[in-house]
Amino acid sequence: MNLANKLTILRIFLIPVFMLFLLNKVPYGESIAALIFVVAALTDTLDGYIARKRNQITTLGKFIDPLADKLLVSAALISLVQMGKLSAWVVVIIISREFTISILRAVAASEGVVIAASWWGKAKTITQIVAIIALLINNFPFRYVGIPMDQIMMYAAVIFTIISGIDYLRLNKQMILKE
């Protein structure tokens, strides 16, 4: 197993650790959870960079990397709903988009077509991660000046989630319309 895939596996293993600190009454638990989330999110960038730089892109990596991303983001969003920091409708929209595009990618892969990440998809991922971090750190430092940056970023994430989902479906409608 190459280093990129090990980093992806590490991201998956960090998810329950992240949730343990976030959802239990541990001193500085939310801060530790936020740090773990940031580290896990950074492994996504790092594993892709390493795989491309070392020409170590694998079938396992192509499958498990997006799965790890979806698991991390979903775990964080669901935890934030449990904590009362996020409305469930936001999570339903985001997770629904992820399932839809994952199914689209699976159908395309069965036809030998690879659906690459688009600019909209990358913007969606970045805004989701920034919004989650802002919620995890209780809108620091913006709460001191009365700017609800955590909420602004989450609305931006929802908008990018919807736009990117529509864009993927529009660009790949031939996969959907095939019988």
Side-chain angles (χ1 to χ4, degrees), residues 153-174:
M153 290 306 302
M154 190 51 73
Y155 285 123
V158 169
I159 290 166
F160 279 118
T161 296
I162 293 168
I163 291 171
S164 69
I166 291 168
D167 187 54
Y168 277 113
L169 293 171
R170 180 185 62 81
L171 292 174
N172 299 285
K173 64 184 169 208
Q174 73 279 6

Side-chain angles (χ1 to χ4, degrees), residues 20-137:
L20 177 76
F21 281 100
L22 186 62
L23 298 175
N24 290 293
K25 301 294 180 199
V26 179
Y28 305 105
E30 285 187 37
S31 298
I32 294 167
L35 180 62
I36 292 168
F37 183 85
V38 169
V39 168
L42 288 174
T43 65
D44 182 32
T45 303
L46 186 59
D47 66 14
Y49 172 78
I50 289 170
R52 286 185 299 277
K53 183 173 171 93
R54 295 183 179 181
N55 197 24
Q56 296 180 337
I57 297 171
T58 65
T59 302
L60 174 65
K62 287 180 189 178
F63 171 75
I64 202 164
D65 181 66
L67 177 64
D69 299 342
K70 288 165 185 39
L71 290 172
L72 177 65
V73 168
S74 296
L77 293 172
I78 292 166
S79 296
L80 289 165
V81 169
Q82 180 175 333
M83 296 169 71
K85 291 186 174 190
L86 187 61
S87 296
W89 69 265
V90 170
V91 178
V92 170
I93 288 173
I94 291 172
I95 292 176
S96 295
R97 183 262 185 215
E98 297 305 335
F99 274 116
T100 302
I101 301 309
S102 293
I103 292 167
L104 176 64
R105 282 196 162 118
V107 169
S110 73
E111 299 285 330
V113 176
V114 175
I115 298 176
S118 70
W119 182 90
W120 289 111
K122 291 176 183 179
K124 178 252 340 164
T125 300
I126 291 167
T127 56
Q128 285 178 359
I129 289 171
V130 170
I132 290 167
I133 293 168
L135 287 165
L136 289 172
I137 61 172

Side-chain angles (χ1 to χ4, degrees), residues 142-154:
F142 300 101
R143 69 176 179 248
Y144 296 115
V145 291
I147 299 172
M149 189 58 68
D150 53 353
Q151 297 302 311
I152 292 167
M153 290 306 302
M154 190 51 73

